[in-house]
Amino acid sequence: MKLLFENWRKYLTKAQINWKPPDLSAEVGEFKRHASHFGLSAEELEEHVSNGRLISMSEDLYNTLQNTQMREVNSVEDLDRIGAENNKDFEGIKKGIKAGSEFNAPIVVQKEGESPWLVAGNTRLVAAAAYGITPKVWYVKI
């Protein structure tokens, strides 16, 4: 983990993301997809998420976060590989990062006694990792 953060430093002067609270209306499909993981309805999950807060990802959160490919990425080349493997186009997000654009923070929900779970924003997390950017996430504990 420490080595990964050290590798990220070389990219920090070249790329930046300005994180903002997520647009919850854009994530309704993700709430529907992940609600059962928490034993909630999509509406209940959205209500919990509305009470989240924007935090910088800690090393502990990085190491324990579930439902993400973020730890598989150490470079832009890795991002391109994951894109090819998953038929995902990262060009738009890569341009946005290089331009210092604003992005909705990924949504992380942690149920008491369980590991944190990424509900929305894997593409943003993977791209941030590729550019060595420590992400901010919208964190919710339920």
Side-chain angles (χ1 to χ4, degrees), residues 1-134:
M1 176 64 188
K2 184 176 180 179
L3 180 58
L4 178 60
F5 277 118
E6 290 172 7
N7 287 340
W8 283 10
R9 292 176 215 255
K10 64 184 172 184
Y11 295 104
L12 290 177
T13 59
K14 299 177 186 177
Q16 178 180 334
I17 297 175
N18 295 308
W19 299 101
K20 66 178 181 176
D23 174 2
L24 301 186
S25 66
E27 304 295 359
V28 171
E30 298 294 352
F31 298 143
K32 289 178 182 176
R33 203 168 66 131
H34 294 284
S36 64
H37 177 80
F38 301 102
L40 300 170
S41 70
E43 294 79 16
E44 290 169 324
L45 179 57
E46 184 174 1
E47 178 64 29
H48 283 291
V49 170
S50 71
N51 296 314
R53 60 191 168 97
L54 196 61
I55 65 167
S56 290
M57 182 172 280
S58 66
E59 188 171 344
D60 182 56
L61 183 56
Y62 173 89
N63 287 325
T64 59
L65 184 61
Q66 302 297 302
N67 193 40
T68 182
Q69 295 171 294
M70 178 182 60
R71 288 180 295 277
E72 299 172 28
V73 178
N74 293 306
S75 68
V76 176
E77 292 77 21
D78 288 341
L79 181 64
D80 293 336
R81 176 187 50 78
I82 286 176
E85 290 172 358
N86 296 286
N87 197 26
K88 185 113 178 139
D89 182 6
F90 286 98
E91 290 308 312
I93 199 165
K94 286 163 64 174
K95 287 178 185 175
I97 290 171
K98 289 175 185 174
S101 296
E102 191 171 65
F103 288 92
N104 289 322
I107 299 171
V108 174
V109 177
Q110 185 170 13
K111 195 170 183 179
E112 189 68 40
E114 295 183 9
S115 295
W117 185 266
L118 181 67
V119 170
N122 187 57
T123 299
R124 288 164 270 168
L125 281 182
V126 168
Y131 282 92
I133 297 169
T134 300

